[in-house]
Amino acid sequence: MTPPILPSLPPAPHRVPHWFALSYLGALVVVSLYPFTEWEFNGQPWLDFLLYPLPYYRTAFDQGVNVLAYVPYGVALARMFRPAWLGVLAALGLGALTSLAIEIIQLYLPMRVASNLDVLCNAAGALAGGLLATLPWTVRLGRAMQRLRRRWLLADNSADYALMLVALWFLTQINPANPLFGVVVMPEGLPQPFESPIADPALFLFLLEAGGAMLNLTATLLFIASFLARLRDYAPVLGGFFLLAWWFKVAVAAAMLKPVAYFAWINPHVLAGLALGGVLTWLLCHTQRLVQSLCALLLLGLAQLAAAQWPLVAADDDQRGLFRWAYHLTNINALSEFANRLWPWAALACVLLSISRQLRRERW
């Protein structure tokens, strides 16, 4: 058997559960403490709220969200430890401590209320996640996913981090009022005075909105393509990801927006940008993998530059009328903003790691 011209390096062990738990912890902190203003301690002893009667004004929906929010966190914490029983204990202990610490910090925020029921629900969610991560059928499912991962992705731990980031990417789209593959928000009317860098302000806004959608779509799809093992998988994987992103946006819009605003996340400008992004992705997918990685780096940076140039800022009141229930709008905006700020930089780091590994293989 003829040896390969460029022998592949053995994949380094990854720490996906650790990084996922850290990222998810950041999301929990942001959602729980946003907008990080008006800090003021009310003088209440830190742990007194744990002995209060359980609040009766919380709905079953709120309690369900508090449980489900900590399930992924518990799964990640449990996967960080061996043996399985230690992982379950770690998920329960660290999940409960995380919730308790956040509730104590909320004592310093007049807009937040520390709740012993929240701690119980969060701890139950973390415990459920820990148990879920260690069930026999979950272990078998994990092994099956590992086989699929070896078939579809590069034999490098950077691909494991990329897979985690693809899952976390959907948090960037969690706000159904934000455009698909975009981070701009159109407020009600233009702020005055509005100074455009070109003579036609409407054209300037179109270029930014359509260009941002094009850059985000192309950068995200190229990011995925650069970690796929085979060229023939590009079309089904990238097409499937786009359809999944579309239906995810439809689902969150149907769940959160009023019927009149179901399609607030799409408009002709965004559609034009997505169409151009699809063509650009098709062209770049026929280049070498290293070129794809470098283009993904460039486009991720340009997408952030385009978003930074967007001159319009929408307050919660601009979106409140679109939502069926505006009570959780602040949390949704906080989670979306956190994900949109973190994800591009995490993706850049992952692509840089992949490029460094590709250059090492070439030297070998």
Side-chain angles (χ1 to χ4, degrees):
M1 182 176 179
T2 304
I5 297 175
L6 294 176
S8 61
L9 296 175
H14 65 75
R15 290 186 173 271
V16 168
H18 302 71
W19 285 107
F20 183 89
L22 182 61
S23 302
Y24 205 85
L25 174 60
L28 291 174
V29 170
V30 168
V31 170
S32 302
L33 305 180
Y34 187 87
F36 300 96
T37 58
E38 301 180 6
W39 295 90
E40 180 183 352
F41 184 48
N42 59 12
Q44 176 183 342
W46 280 4
L47 300 180
D48 275 13
F49 72 93
L50 293 176
L51 303 178
Y52 291 170
L54 295 178
Y56 61 88
Y57 52 84
R58 292 299 180 95
T59 65
F61 177 81
D62 291 328
Q63 295 172 23
V65 168
N66 282 327
V67 172
L68 293 176
Y70 272 68
V71 171
Y73 188 49
V75 171
L77 290 174
R79 298 292 296 173
M80 291 167 53
F81 296 89
R82 294 292 184 274
W85 63 267
L86 182 59
V88 174
L89 289 180
L92 174 60
L94 294 177
L97 284 175
T98 298
S99 177
L100 178 61
I102 289 175
E103 295 297 321
I104 290 174
I105 296 174
Q106 286 182 342
L107 293 172
Y108 291 82
L109 292 171
M111 298 298 294
R112 301 283 183 169
V113 177
S115 169
N116 49 10
L117 182 59
D118 286 355
V119 175
L120 291 175
C121 290
N122 296 157
L127 176 60
L131 293 173
L132 181 64
T134 54
L135 290 176
W137 68 268
T138 307
V139 175
R140 289 194 294 270
L141 178 62
R143 290 171 181 168
M145 292 181 65
Q146 281 294 325
R147 290 193 293 270
L148 291 175
R149 177 254 178 272
R150 287 192 292 269
R151 177 185 181 276
W152 290 90
L153 302 179
L154 296 177
D156 187 278
N157 71 346
S158 61
D160 296 292
Y161 296 120
L163 190 61
M164 176 192 72
L165 289 175
V166 170
L168 291 174
W169 176 87
F170 287 91
L171 292 180
T172 68
Q173 306 295 303
I174 197 68
N175 187 342
N178 286 0
L180 179 66
F181 285 96
V183 296
V184 300
V185 180
M186 182 67 74
E188 296 295 330
L190 290 175
Q192 299 296 332
F194 171 62
E195 296 183 2
S196 171
I198 62 177
D200 189 345
L203 177 60
F204 172 68
L205 295 178
F206 167 78
L207 293 175
L208 277 183
E209 191 171 10
M214 178 193 72
L215 292 170
N216 276 305
L217 174 65
T218 309
T220 304
L221 294 184
L222 273 185
F223 172 79
I224 297 172
S226 65
F227 293 98
L228 293 177
R230 298 176 300 184
L231 178 61
R232 68 184 183 184
D233 294 332
Y234 282 18
V237 171
L238 300 185
F241 175 80
F242 179 81
L243 290 177
L244 184 60
W246 182 280
W247 284 113
F248 178 79
K249 207 70 169 178
V250 169
V252 295
M256 301 181 193
L257 297 181
K258 296 177 180 178
V260 70
Y262 273 171
F263 295 99
W265 49 273
I266 198 71
N267 59 50
H269 298 179
V270 174
L271 285 175
L274 296 179
L276 291 173
V279 174
L280 183 58
T281 302
W282 180 80
L283 293 173
L284 292 175
C285 279
H286 289 80
T287 60
Q288 295 180 352
R289 189 180 305 278
L290 182 59
V291 175
Q292 293 174 14
S293 300
L294 292 172
C295 288
L297 272 180
L298 176 63
L299 293 173
L300 283 168
L302 290 176
Q304 298 313 297
L305 180 61
Q309 300 305 311
W310 185 252
L312 311 180
V313 179
D316 285 354
D317 292 340
D318 294 316
Q319 296 184 351
R320 201 173 301 278
L322 305 177
F323 282 76
R324 291 182 177 181
W325 32 269
Y327 176 73
H328 295 284
L329 180 57
T330 300
N331 291 342
I332 294 170
N333 282 338
L335 183 58
S336 176
E337 182 179 345
F338 171 76
N340 276 303
R341 290 187 177 184
L342 174 66
W343 195 89
W345 299 108
L348 283 169
C350 189
V351 174
L352 285 173
L353 177 63
S354 176
I355 290 175
S356 68
R357 298 283 171 76
Q358 292 179 54
L359 294 176
R360 286 177 61 191
R361 286 185 175 88
E362 290 184 359
R363 286 200 297 269
W364 277 49

